[in-house]
Structures are given as C-alpha cells and as structure tokens.
Amino acid sequence: MNRRAFLRDLTATATLPWLATGCVGGEADSVVATASGRVRGRVDAGIHAFRGVPYAAPPIGAHRYRPPRPVRAWSGVRDAIALGPTPPQPATPPPLEFFAPPIPGADYLNLNIWTREPGSARMPVVVWIFGGGFDTGSNGLYDGTAFARDGVVFVAMNYRLGAEGFLFLDDEVANVALLDQISALEWVRDNIAAFGGDPDNVTIAGQSAGAMAVGTLLTMPRASGLFRRAILESGAGNLCYSAATAREIGQRLVTKLGVAADRDAVATAGVERVLAAQTAVMGDLARQPDPQRWGGEPGCRVNMWRPTLDGSTLSAAPVDAVTAGAGADVDVLIGHNGAEGRLSLVPFRGLDSVTEAELATAMHLYRLPVERALTAYRAAYPGADPGALLAIVQGDWFYTVPGLRLADAHAPAPASTYMYEFTWRSPQFDGQLGSCHFLEVPFAFDRLHDPRMRWLTGPNPPQQLADLVHGAWVQFATTGRVHWPPYEPLRRTTMRLDLEPTVIDDPCPVRTLWEGIALT
C-alpha cells in the first residue's frame, strides 16, 4: 500500500457509524456496585463491559493542573455503556483522528473495564496505560474483550496529557499525570473485586509512553503495593526530565501564554490557548533538536512532556532506582520491536528519502561516535539503506538499549524478568513498514479483526502469532511467568516473537556502541 492509498482508505473508513458514535451492541445490561455508586455496563457474548467509569473528580477550574481528587459519589445507577470523555490534547491531523476520535467532557479521568465474571471470581487484572508521547491518545483505542474472554479483568485508564499532566513550575507540584495513574490504581485496588478481579494480582501494562509510565511507576514509592507485575512494550521509563529542563519547558509555555508562572494563571488562560501554546513551544524546540533533552532529531518529533525528577514524587531515574532495588518484588516483562522507527518514517515520508547526512546527524545528536557507529551499523545490517538504518538507530536509542539496561538492573531481583523482541514484518506500504512501533499491540490484544489495527497489520495478519503473543501476556498476568527462559544478563536472553519464535542471545548487535551514553 502506498502513502496516498493509505490516507484515502483511512479517510473513508473514518466515517464508519460505529466509530463516529462510540456505540456498542449488547445482549443485556450489567450492574456493579463500586465504592462511589452503581454503574451499568453492557453484556455482549458473555463479556461485561463498563466504559467511562470515573476514578477521580473532573480536573476543572483551579484543579486542572493539580493532583487528582476523589470522585464524588452518586445515587442511583450511572450508565457506563459509551466511551467517556478524552483528555484535552492537540488535534490529530486528519485523517489520523480515526484511531481515537476526541470525546468532549469534563469527566475524562475515567476507566473502561472488561470482565467475564463480575463478583467474587478473583481473576488476574491488567491495567493498561496508553501511549502517545505523553501529549496524545486515550483509552478508547484499546478493547479488552480478548483478555476478559481468557479470564483476565482488563482495565484501560485515561490520564492527563501535555501541560495538564506534566507542567513543572517548581511549586511543589509535579508529575500530575503519574498521580492520576496512581489514583486509577488505587481505584482498582478498592473496587476491582466487584468486577471479579483480584486486587492482589494486578499487572500494569503499557506501550510507548505508556510503557515509560509503567517503568516510572515501578520505582515510585506512592505506587508501591498497587501492582504485582509489569509489562513494558517499547519503553523503559528512560525518558525523564531533570528539574532544570522541566522548569525551562514550563517557563517557555507561560511566556507563550503571557501569564505568570502560576498554575491558576495557566488554568485561567483556557484549554485551547494552552494547547496552542504547547504547539508553538514544540515548534521552537524542533529547531533546537536534542534527544537527550526533548528530541526533534531527524524523523522524530519533539517529546516535549516527560516525567520530572522533582525529588519528591520522583527522586531518581527509573533505571537507577531499579539498580538500587526498587521494584524488586514486581515481575517484569519488557521488550521492543525490530524496527521501531519505521512508523514515523514510512507512512508520511518514506525510507528512501532519508539521506546519509541525516543518518549521521541523528547519530551525532545521540552522542554516538559517528564514523565508528556508521561502520558498526552497516556491518550489523548489511544492505540496509540510510532510512532503514535510521529506523533501527532510533529504536535502539528510545527502546532497545534502555529496555536492556532496565532488564539488567532488574534481573538480580527475586521477582522474574523476561525480555522479548517482536520481529514479524507488516506487509503494509509495500513491506516497508516492517516490524514498526506499535505493531505488536493488535497481537497482544488479539484484535487482528479491528479495522483500525489493520492499517498496520495488513488484511491477513497471522492469527497464530496473536495466539502466541496474547497467550504469553495472559500467562504472565496470571502467573508472572512465560514459556521462554528468564532474562539472564550475561546472555541477555530474549524471545524473538515471530511466525517461528526463537530464543536468542542479545537482540542488539551494536549494543556496546551505546555504553556510557545517557539515554534520558
């Protein structure tokens, strides 16, 4: 599929009525009592689904940039049949809003829940944290039906994005988005038994920025005891701001807004003005690319919002905290895809447009020794053109090497550590999309039939691979184990997930190039 056909077909499918309305079919209603009141979901083919259930009060007015507050109880039965509001975020350029269209409303700190058996079943629980660079996305893209079918209670949370979630003004408030996530996990602890879940067997899982959040929660004292296992798909908690950099980002934002460096002043500016200011600051930062600060290197967008090492909510970089023993009692499954960077390069630009100079520039910005790195990458991936190599280098910087470092840090812990590499190649875009970022998600969710996912997987993705990946995720959430050997640092034991799964040693043949380079 070429880029023009992709955009044409995506636009056509975006008008499907079921997507535009968010409606769901069903056989009967299902009512569950939570600590705040009763909610009515829908039962379809034996799966009970509850959507838009609030876990915290609406963050409006003076509370928009402050930590979450408890949800207010309600009387009667609250409908939880349609998707709830989505967090404020910049508009996704058309036609990509098809993947997770915005839903207006103040109650966007909400959860979607799928279960096979409400009541006292005490099934394992997976709590999903979506990705999107910490400034886009919502829980509406992720359907937990297959997990519920296979005996896992699945929960997908929303949390605040962009400035609402990560604004740092050096005012004793930081990482509001992470506090949202902890609030959602506290709600799960207090309420999930009513949905048939076991609050003592919770797995937090996420992809991309969601995995970064999982890696960060792994080390936060306030999150301790709220989960037993962690699945990190393409992210390791490695992207964190120093307080100085976070303060600079916050100051740039309030300067664009023309308001005082005060949360109330930013809230008074209004949502749309703040979103516009965010976009303007991102444009400024893109002209000063620096992956060790905010990104913007060739083929990558600026990652303007990240968790902040504020010394209170988050006192140390996650890999350093894990090395010191944080998360030692949490089972960890972590991995990446074979060519992560192709998702940002292929659909809208094409690998063949990447130049040797851009590849060398990216390596320089990553602090790699350029000439030695070019030689090593070409030897490791013979025949790869500059675009293909750039996609691999980006994946190594953002995901592969940080994941290996986190696995190395966690491996001595008494809890288990497992590593995977997803290498099945999508046929989309004439095969150029390859094993790109996000491609493992439809397999992990066993959602190969979802038309939104098929823009990445193509029309005939292999069900046997979804059976393998989804089955492993369910097994891990249930037992803390999977069917391949644990990660062993000397060998860097990794399961390569493909049509012919294989256990390999060390998925990064150029790993030693990155030794001594900070990946923050």
Side-chain angles (χ1 to χ4, degrees):
M1 178 185 289
N2 60 36
R3 289 188 293 279
R4 182 175 297 175
F6 170 80
L7 295 175
R8 181 194 65 230
D9 293 348
L10 191 59
T11 303
T13 308
T15 62
L16 287 173
W18 63 265
L19 182 67
T21 63
C23 293
V24 292
E27 300 167 350
D29 289 346
S30 177
V31 177
V32 168
T34 74
S36 301
R38 292 179 293 165
V39 291
R40 177 185 293 110
R42 187 61 54 83
V43 186
D44 191 359
I47 302 301
H48 302 245
F50 303 81
R51 295 174 169 88
V53 179
Y55 66 84
I60 56 177
H63 301 286
R64 187 170 290 277
Y65 296 89
R66 299 185 184 278
R69 298 167 297 132
V71 65
R72 179 176 295 179
W74 59 86
S75 59
V77 181
R78 179 178 181 135
D79 279 339
I81 294 173
L83 292 174
T86 53
Q89 56 195 278
T92 303
L96 294 184
E97 74 275 17
F98 157 75
F99 285 99
I103 301 173
D107 254 327
Y108 51 85
L109 296 184
N110 61 61
L111 305 168
N112 301 329
I113 306 150
W114 289 261
T115 179
R116 188 175 67 188
E117 186 181 349
S120 58
R122 294 189 70 83
M123 292 177 285
V125 180
V126 168
V127 180
W128 180 258
I129 306 175
F130 66 82
F134 290 126
D135 61 3
T136 62
S138 75
N139 60 5
L141 179 60
Y142 304 92
D143 189 298
T145 297
F147 283 96
R149 176 199 67 202
D150 295 330
V152 174
V153 178
F154 189 87
V155 181
M157 70 167 74
N158 275 336
Y159 57 94
R160 277 174 280 187
L161 300 169
E164 290 193 11
F166 295 97
L167 179 64
F168 184 73
L169 297 175
D170 213 5
D171 59 355
E172 299 185 353
V173 177
N175 297 314
V176 168
L178 299 178
L179 300 181
D180 287 345
Q181 294 165 12
I182 291 172
S183 179
L185 289 169
E186 290 171 340
W187 186 97
V188 168
R189 177 197 62 199
D190 297 339
N191 292 280
I192 206 62
F195 295 85
D198 182 354
D200 297 320
N201 191 7
V202 173
T203 298
I204 57 171
Q207 186 269 343
S208 194
M212 298 285 181
V214 169
T216 306
L217 291 169
L218 187 65
T219 69
M220 293 180 69
R222 287 188 59 172
S224 179
L226 293 175
F227 53 91
R228 186 174 178 181
R229 320 190 199 288
I231 299 176
L232 301 90
E233 302 176 31
S234 302
N238 47 301
L239 294 185
C240 291
Y241 277 145
S242 68
T245 299
R247 190 181 304 111
E248 178 184 349
I249 298 291
Q251 187 58 54
R252 284 174 180 257
L253 182 75
V254 297
T255 299
K256 288 287 184 188
L257 288 169
V259 301
D262 175 85
R263 290 177 189 274
D264 293 339
V266 176
T268 302
V271 173
E272 296 305 320
R273 281 190 62 204
V274 172
L275 292 176
Q278 287 184 190
T279 300
V281 173
M282 286 178 68
D284 293 343
L285 299 179
R287 291 187 285 273
Q288 307 169 50
D290 188 342
Q292 291 197 355
R293 299 187 75 192
W294 45 65
E297 61 275 20
C300 284
R301 71 185 183 99
V302 167
N303 299 108
M304 180 172 159
W305 303 106
R306 303 178 182 181
T308 298
L309 301 175
D310 66 314
S312 177
T313 61
L314 190 61
S315 57
V319 69
D320 294 334
V322 171
T323 299
D329 58 344
V330 177
D331 300 319
V332 168
L333 170 61
I334 187 169
H336 59 273
N337 295 354
E340 299 267 6
R342 287 178 178 247
L343 183 62
S344 60
L345 290 168
V346 170
F348 305 105
R349 180 179 179 183
L351 297 182
D352 54 1
S353 69
V354 177
T355 66
E356 292 281 357
E358 286 178 309
L359 174 61
T361 295
M363 289 181 167
H364 172 72
L365 290 171
Y366 291 139
R367 276 63 165 181
L368 286 169
V370 176
E371 291 304 320
R372 185 156 62 92
L374 286 169
T375 299
Y377 270 94
R378 285 172 177 147
Y381 303 96
D385 61 20
L389 289 177
L390 179 58
I392 295 168
V393 172
Q394 288 175 350
D396 287 348
W397 159 266
F398 280 104
Y399 312 111
T400 307
V401 177
L404 288 166
R405 290 184 181 178
L406 188 67
D408 284 342
H410 190 265
S416 62
T417 309
Y418 293 92
M419 171 72 71
Y420 75 87
E421 180 183 42
F422 185 89
T423 57
W424 181 78
R425 295 177 58 86
S426 168
Q428 295 293 75
F429 300 96
D430 301 321
Q432 285 201 339
L433 199 57
S435 51
C436 68
H437 193 59
F438 193 85
L439 185 61
E440 87 291 350
V441 170
F443 293 87
F445 278 71
D446 194 11
R447 296 289 296 176
L448 300 186
H449 59 284
D450 188 328
R452 296 171 295 181
M453 301 300 182
R454 289 204 169 187
W455 299 121
L456 291 177
T457 65
N460 298 297
Q463 182 60 47
Q464 68 267 32
L465 184 55
D467 294 341
L468 171 68
V469 178
H470 175 73
W473 270 227
V474 169
Q475 180 186 9
F476 182 80
T478 304
T479 68
R481 302 290 183 268
V482 288
H483 58 272
W484 61 85
Y487 183 85
E488 201 284 313
L490 291 179
R491 296 180 54 195
R492 294 184 170 82
T493 317
T494 302
M495 169 60 86
R496 182 162 283 167
L497 296 170
D498 211 326
L499 292 179
E500 296 184 5
T502 307
V503 176
I504 64 168
D505 291 343
D506 202 338
C508 186
V510 294
R511 177 183 45 77
T512 56
L513 279 172
W514 297 93
E515 290 180 355
I517 295 176
L519 304 175
T520 58

